Amino acid sequence: MGGNDSRGEAFDFGEPDDPDRTIAVQRDSDHEMPIDRLEDQHPQCPYGRAGSCCDICYMGPCRVSDDDQYGKRRGVCGATPGTVVARNLYREIAGGMATHSHHAWEAAKLLDEIADGAVTDYEVKDEDKLRAVAADLGLDAEGDVSAVAKAVATAAMADFSPGGDTLNWVDRMPAVQRERLAEHDLLPLGSVDYQASRSLTQTHQGNDADPVHILKSALSAGVADGYAGLTMATDLQDVVFGTPTPTPAEAHLGVLEPDQVNVALHGHEPILSEMIVRAANELEDEAVEAGASGINPVGICCTGNELAERHGVPLAAHSLQAELAVTTGALDAMVVDIQCIWPGIADLVECHHTRLVTTVDYVRMPGATHVPFDEETAMEDAKSIVRTAIEGYEDRQQRQGYEVTIPDRTQGAMVGFSDSAILGVLESIDPENPASPIVDAIQAGQLRGIVGVVGCPNPKMRQADMAETLIEDLLAADVLPVVTGCIGHIMAQGGYLDPGRVDDLAGDGVAEVLHVLGEAAGLDGPLPPVLHMGSCVDNSRIGNVVRAISEGSGIPPSDLPVAASAPELIAEKAVAIGTWALSQGLPVHTAPTLNIEGSDLVTQVLTEDLEDITGGYLIQEEDPEAAAEKLIAALDERREPLLEQSPSGGGD
Ligand code: BF8
């Protein structure tokens, strides 16, 4: 983060957003939206919600639960509720791990191709990060950039070798926690591809029936997700696309422009979206020839976060609002890659001119145009996709009586708080030890703790403003929330990423910390009340900050007042991320509650016993105020010993 003195003015965001806006915008009277389909699904299956349904063999499905209301005590094969619930959970986590690590694999392959010169449309943008990652992995970090890039890419790709016993990226874990996990045999057994095949094998009918053993393997899959998925993806994306710095961005559907070619980029991998943004710049003239005043790329879900944090591209919508973006009638193309691409979008584009473009071989949708996107022909492919959007714009102009209704809603936000940006600010206060400003603020009683509030917008929880209420309660209690994923969009839309709202939202202690950090960052004002740290793979950035504070202070991660919350969890990926956070020793809150309540044993292991093993434990709570109270109590428990050690003996 640099010392740009004009930034204070640049971040004049005006009045905060209407608090009802986020909910209101999810309904559209003319079209069926996810929230309507959720209502249609009621009542939902209670056996599935309890994790009690076993459908992995054809003697079933069996309903197996410790609660007689939800099933019998044994499946046809004799499986207990513990076996069934643990097995179902392990499969969820493995699904998330496989998906994140496949994302990381694409980034590793790209870096390898850059190093070999096989791909020329991309380059190494952040050489410092490349060398830092190489050094952390114990590789030769000196010398020619291509050689270091090749070494890092080779180490990354080794983490995917079939049946392989290597997981290099686990070296990015705090050493103290790695040792703790090793003592309990909780480190991944081998490459992430091995972990993926092992998870399916282990949970096959008639294999592992020991619930605790299954949960241990599930936890290892969470570790693999955190390092060979999240951390590797963020590391390599920063190397190739640059490490984010604080940047202003507009949020909400009002960022669509009636007289421009609107291209929504939806999904997760910046490999595609970065190139589309570049191609859009290059094809402005063609858009003008078609009668538009320009091309307006906007971001949806994690692609939105990736583009906003690096380029300030507008954050149009979170995943739950993607369909709503189509209903504006202003979207000329929606270009998707992987993950969180809901099939409802394909139904909806049939009523509109919007071109739905799929780009990845394993993500296809009926009604979409498939344009294969290849790194070797990236710019050419991206231009062809942007030209499809221009055609969409021309089609929009030619439709008689076609209505475009863009909500008059935009909200300014400050995004781009990467780990290196945050640590850079802390270093500017204490160059010797960036942990000390945080530990000092905790010991002075100003900062009660930090909570990573991450993940999805679940229509079940959206109706209760779950994320907003939780975050407001945390802030008021002097807890600093850091956010990623679609929660980042919710926060941007609600004005929580506006530095001007610090004094309204934050307790006096955390407000003071944000003012001090903002001044140190040269922002001429405070940091925003909520720090946007990026996409869902960028949860690794939270891990890196925790690691730096832990290593700088000598306090293990499990003794720091740091917790995680996925207050509106949807995806298996989010369950995998939560499992990684549990492995790192953190209290982890989820809502909706995980599908584990069919087994008393699994519930007890995760909510209680695990604390003695990794330091982490699960908090299941669907009421936002109660969730905030439980998280604050968890932070206080870890803060207490630090207050006792403080020079003044505590600040409260
Ligand atoms: O990976 S927050 S709905 S977009 S799963 Fe999906 Fe959830 Fe959004 Fe990003 Ni993360």
Side-chain angles (χ1 to χ4, degrees):
M1 193 185 286
N4 181 351
D5 286 334
S6 64
R7 219 173 241 154
E9 276 175 30
F11 286 117
D12 179 6
F13 294 132
E15 287 304 300
D17 203 357
D18 167 8
D20 291 336
R21 176 179 300 177
T22 312
I23 293 176
V25 84
Q26 289 169 20
R27 285 216 182 265
D28 179 276
S29 50
D30 299 330
H31 300 90
E32 187 187 73
M33 290 285 111
I35 214 155
D36 305 311
R37 296 193 294 266
L38 174 64
E39 278 168 17
D40 274 356
Q41 283 292 330
H42 277 294
Q44 289 186 311
C45 173
Y47 310 107
R49 275 296 280 128
S52 292
C53 179
C54 183
D55 65 353
I56 64 166
C57 89
Y58 280 77
M59 292 187 290
C62 296
R63 292 166 301 190
V64 183
S65 174
D66 284 321
D67 183 339
D68 291 335
Q69 195 187 339
Y70 293 122
K72 306 291 176 191
R73 296 301 169 108
R74 289 280 189 278
V76 178
C77 68
T80 63
T83 303
V84 169
V85 172
R87 211 158 50 186
N88 286 341
L89 183 68
Y90 185 14
R91 284 194 166 201
E92 283 180 16
I93 294 163
M97 172 197 70
T99 302
H100 279 142
S101 62
H102 199 77
H103 175 162
W105 161 258
E106 294 292 344
K109 193 160 62 72
L110 176 63
L111 184 63
D112 191 59
E113 288 164 342
I114 293 170
D116 287 345
V119 153
T120 51
D121 285 342
Y122 301 90
E123 61 188 353
V124 169
K125 276 244 179 73
D126 189 342
E127 196 180 314
D128 291 345
K129 174 107 186 201
L130 173 69
R131 294 184 191 282
V133 170
D136 203 34
L137 294 169
L139 303 171
D140 183 359
E142 307 298 323
D144 178 60
V145 181
S146 296
V148 180
K150 183 72 188 175
V152 168
T154 304
M157 292 170 85
D159 284 0
F160 296 88
S161 61
D165 57 5
T166 305
L167 204 67
N168 293 308
W169 247 257
V170 169
D171 289 357
R172 307 273 285 130
M173 191 189 307
V176 63
Q177 193 65 17
R178 198 165 62 227
E179 283 158 22
R180 186 169 181 168
L181 296 185
E183 271 170 32
H184 293 280
D185 278 336
L186 289 172
L187 289 177
L189 296 166
S191 77
V192 70
D193 278 14
Y194 174 70
Q195 290 282 130
S197 73
R198 161 97 175 200
S199 64
L200 287 175
T201 304
Q202 192 173 344
T203 55
H204 189 274
Q205 188 261 32
N207 282 340
D208 201 342
D210 177 345
V212 174
H213 188 248
I214 294 168
L215 289 176
K216 285 178 71 175
S217 300
L219 206 85
S220 301
V223 176
D225 181 74
Y227 294 101
L230 313 181
T231 306
M232 187 190 291
T234 300
D235 283 347
L236 304 186
Q237 287 173 178
D238 281 356
V239 166
V240 176
F241 304 112
T243 303
T245 55
T247 308
E250 289 287 308
H252 227 307
L253 287 173
V255 300
L256 296 171
E257 298 289 350
D259 58 349
Q260 295 200 28
V261 177
N262 291 300
V263 188
L265 299 158
H266 182 3
H268 283 77
E269 291 178 337
I271 296 175
L272 168 75
S273 53
E274 286 265 340
M275 200 54 67
I276 301 269
V277 170
R278 278 171 51 189
N281 274 333
E282 292 195 13
L283 296 182
E284 282 275 326
D285 288 351
E286 291 187 24
V288 170
E289 253 172 59
S293 67
I295 303 179
N296 181 33
V298 300
I300 295 184
C301 83
C302 279
T303 285
N305 291 318
E306 297 280 359
L307 290 172
E309 68 181 344
R310 294 198 175 87
H311 306 291
V313 168
L315 287 161
H318 52 64
S319 60
L320 180 56
Q321 297 167 328
E323 289 167 58
L324 207 66
V326 178
T327 68
T328 62
L331 216 54
D332 301 307
M334 183 177 291
V335 183
V336 305
D337 53 27
I338 57 166
Q339 302 170 20
C340 306
I341 317 296
W342 297 2
I345 299 166
D347 287 343
L348 203 54
V349 291
E350 282 183 12
C351 318
H352 292 271
H353 71 290
T354 309
R355 278 29 180 186
L356 176 61
V357 182
T358 54
T359 57
V360 172
D361 187 50
Y362 66 87
V363 180
R364 306 282 186 121
M365 298 169 90
T369 306
H370 189 73
V371 180
F373 182 82
D374 193 326
E375 293 86 350
E376 287 180 23
T377 49
M379 181 48 95
E380 208 180 299
D381 297 344
K383 282 185 173 169
S384 135
I385 292 168
V386 172
R387 288 191 175 110
T388 304
I390 295 173
E391 278 167 31
Y393 175 84
E394 289 173 317
D395 183 356
R396 165 154 62 104
Q397 300 311 311
Q398 283 156 13
R399 291 190 173 211
Q400 300 294 318
Y402 184 72
E403 265 186 50
V404 171
T405 315
I406 300 173
D408 183 19
R409 291 169 173 169
T410 58
Q411 178 66 47
M414 190 193 218
V415 301
F417 288 92
S418 61
D419 43 339
S420 79
I422 292 173
L423 294 171
V425 176
L426 296 174
E427 265 163 23
S428 72
I429 298 172
D430 186 341
E432 296 296 310
N433 185 358
S436 66
I438 295 295
V439 176
D440 292 351
I442 293 167
Q443 292 191 321
Q446 290 175 309
L447 179 63
R448 208 151 167 185
I450 300 171
V451 179
V453 185
V454 308
C456 323
N458 191 317
K460 291 179 177 176
M461 315 311 296
R462 212 66 304 273
Q463 294 173 85
D465 274 347
M466 181 78 190
E468 293 91 330
T469 309
L470 172 70
I471 284 192
E472 284 177 17
D473 284 6
L474 292 175
L475 272 169
D478 285 327
V479 175
L480 176 64
V482 298
V483 298
T484 56
C486 287
I487 300 293
H489 284 263
I490 293 171
M491 290 294 104
Q493 291 175 14
Y496 297 83
L497 307 185
D498 173 356
R501 293 195 68 201
V502 163
D503 297 324
D504 301 340
L505 289 167
D508 292 347
V510 78
E512 199 175 328
V513 172
L514 290 165
H515 277 277
V516 169
L517 295 178
E519 292 298 328
L523 293 180
D524 202 18
L527 298 189
V530 174
L531 302 184
H532 183 292
M533 294 187 71
S535 65
C536 286
V537 294
D538 291 340
N539 283 310
S540 62
R541 301 192 192 282
I542 304 176
N544 290 342
V545 171
V546 172
R547 176 182 171 188
I549 295 171
S550 167
E551 291 179 351
S553 63
I555 304 167
S558 55
D559 291 347
L560 287 168
V562 177
S565 168
E568 304 199 17
L569 166 147
I570 295 176
E572 288 175 332
K573 293 181 293 169
V575 183
I577 293 168
T579 309
W580 167 60
L582 287 172
S583 79
Q584 299 307 292
L586 307 188
V588 176
H589 160 248
T590 76
T593 55
L594 295 187
N595 298 340
I596 60 172
E597 287 168 2
S599 165
D600 295 340
L601 175 64
V602 171
T603 304
Q604 187 191 309
V605 169
L606 293 177
T607 57
E608 294 176 33
D609 303 351
L610 187 63
E611 190 174 8
D612 289 336
I613 302 167
T614 68
Y617 59 93
L618 180 67
I619 299 168
Q620 304 248 76
E621 180 54 67
E622 295 190 350
D623 176 77
E625 277 140 10
E629 276 171 26
K630 288 178 183 177
L631 281 162
I632 292 164
L635 297 174
D636 282 351
E637 199 185 335
R638 291 174 183 217
R639 186 176 69 130
E640 203 56 41
L642 300 181
L643 290 176
E644 282 163 16
Q645 290 161 22
S646 80
S648 64
D652 300 298

